[in-house]
Amino acid sequence: MRTRLLGRTGWRVSEIGYGAWQIGGTMWGEVPEERAKAAVRAALDSGITFLDTALAYGDGRSERLIGQVLRERGVPGEVIVATKVPPLNREWPARPTMRLRDVFPARWIRQCAEQSLRHLGLDRPLDLLQLHVWTDAWAADDEWYEALLELRERQRLRAFGVSVNDHEPASALEVTASGRIDTIQVIYNVFDQTPEAELFPAAERAGVGVIVRVPLDEGSLAGTLRRDTRFPPGDMRARYFAGDRLRETVERVERLQPLLEREGQSMAQGALRFCLTPGAVSTVIVGSVRREHIEANAAASDPALLEAETLEALRSHAWPRNFYP
């Protein structure tokens, strides 16, 4: 596993990170506790040192399971755990018309940070605390920033950042350039290449670490979905790929397959290597509860990234859209 610098934090993190939304067990179908913990162990065994979770993932279940596995392993110091403060109003995404006091008042940020510390139980500060939604309407507001600074001064956290609204990288340009945050988390994949235009350059100029999420478009870019795929009860992908979305997505993925899949490289690995190409990217988080998938994803960390001709050909496959609403 190769490592990259996480912006100005100075931490070196694994190129492939582990996204722990699924093990929360609420939006991806039921995930038994032992299976969830086995997935975290598989990530660590594969050399992954960056784990991304959130207080909202199973109302803290994801955090608790990660904490249990890390304590079982002796809390390895090289492992970085990133978590997130959910919006107080429980509305995703944030809108510019929302008042900060209704979404991230200082008392709520402090309360959630303490909850996450208890769930993880690692006897150390939170490594990285992110605000789970964002709008640049709040960029110059001092309340969220001073709350996070105070938590860092009290050694309750070490670094902080924001998670950008789905498919809205321009909504975080101001805060990225402000010098106030250490990291930015954003959707970036073969279909949504929009962060390359402005957000990635802004992050590089400001020394902000970039955490890429949804690199496989909720599984479509792994190449395993079919037009007749049926998702298990409780799996959010039933809504994400509802109606005619699944058919159109599969057709587009089939056209991509010759560019991303080759001998020694699965389609998923090709899609992950696409996300690792920009120098601004620090780590790419991908979730799974199957050991074989986790190991294969981790193997995408490789010096041999996609060739220039392949990258150029992938430009024509950009397909910006938002299936979350």
Side-chain angles (χ1 to χ4, degrees):
M1 174 69 71
R2 292 158 62 87
T3 62
R4 297 188 180 195
L5 197 64
L6 186 63
R8 65 189 185 195
T9 66
W11 308 332
R12 297 202 67 87
V13 295
S14 55
E15 287 189 328
I16 301 297
Y18 181 71
W21 184 14
Q22 291 185 24
I23 67 170
T26 54
M27 294 188 71
W28 289 81
E30 184 181 355
V31 182
E33 183 173 311
E34 279 310 309
R35 188 179 185 197
K37 289 196 287 188
V40 178
R41 294 186 194 107
L44 298 174
D45 292 343
S46 299
I48 290 173
T49 62
F50 186 85
L51 309 177
D52 181 80
T53 182
L55 186 57
Y57 297 167
D59 194 23
R61 181 183 193 246
S62 176
E63 292 176 326
R64 288 191 293 271
L65 294 175
I66 286 173
Q68 288 171 26
V69 172
L70 291 180
R71 291 195 301 275
E72 159 194 304
R73 294 287 177 106
V75 193
E78 73 278 8
V79 175
I80 299 297
V81 180
T83 192
K84 307 180 194 76
V85 178
L88 175 60
N89 63 358
R90 286 296 197 264
E91 289 189 35
W92 278 266
R95 298 187 302 277
T97 54
M98 289 179 177
R99 300 179 305 175
L100 181 72
R101 73 188 72 169
D102 296 328
V103 187
F104 291 125
R107 60 177 173 76
W108 176 248
I109 293 173
R110 289 192 291 266
Q111 178 184 326
C112 291
E114 296 300 331
Q115 268 190 289
S116 293
L117 281 163
R118 288 193 295 273
H119 290 162
L120 289 164
L122 298 181
D123 195 27
R124 71 184 196 194
L126 298 172
D127 294 318
L128 174 62
L129 186 64
Q130 306 157 92
L131 302 182
H132 208 153
V133 297
W134 184 256
T135 168
D136 263 348
W138 306 328
D141 196 303
D142 289 332
E143 183 168 1
W144 67 270
Y145 180 56
E146 290 177 356
L148 291 167
L149 275 182
E150 186 233 352
L151 285 165
R152 184 161 66 186
E153 288 164 2
R154 291 197 295 111
Q155 298 186 356
R156 307 308 281 165
L157 58 82
R158 298 200 291 158
F160 53 82
V162 304
S163 182
V164 184
N165 288 347
D166 299 329
H167 305 290
E168 294 182 10
S171 69
L173 289 173
E174 188 175 341
V175 74
T176 299
S178 70
R180 286 184 157 194
I181 60 172
D182 302 301
T183 64
I184 196 90
Q185 184 174 139
V186 64
I187 291 177
Y188 175 63
N189 55 48
V190 174
F191 286 146
D192 190 346
Q193 304 176 27
T194 52
E196 294 178 9
E198 297 180 281
L199 188 63
F200 287 175
E204 286 193 288
R205 288 192 297 270
V208 171
V210 173
I211 302 162
V212 166
R213 74 176 187 270
V214 199
L216 301 181
D217 184 43
E218 306 300 9
S220 79
L221 289 167
T224 56
L225 300 184
R226 299 291 177 263
R227 292 166 180 78
D228 60 351
T229 295
R230 295 292 178 268
F231 300 100
D235 193 320
M236 55 79 64
R237 292 174 298 173
R239 184 178 71 251
Y240 187 83
F241 293 114
D244 210 35
R245 293 173 177 179
L246 180 60
R247 179 197 57 76
E248 184 175 6
T249 302
V250 169
E251 288 175 357
R252 287 175 178 268
V253 168
E254 287 171 348
R255 294 197 290 271
L256 270 172
Q257 196 161 359
L259 292 172
L260 293 175
E261 188 174 310
R262 63 189 65 168
E263 185 176 353
Q265 175 178 285
S266 69
M267 186 165 185
Q269 289 171 333
L272 293 173
R273 286 171 181 157
F274 170 85
C275 295
L276 286 168
T277 302
V281 171
S282 300
T283 187
V284 176
I285 56 174
V286 57
S288 178
V289 293
R290 296 177 59 176
R291 174 174 281 271
E292 62 270 29
H293 289 171
I294 294 167
E295 291 173 346
N297 292 337
S301 173
D302 189 293
L305 295 176
L306 302 181
E307 305 85 354
E309 315 85 75
T310 301
L311 292 171
E312 184 59 32
L314 288 170
R315 300 299 171 207
S316 65
H317 291 270
W319 183 32
R321 84 279 190 236
N322 193 347
F323 281 176
Y324 290 102

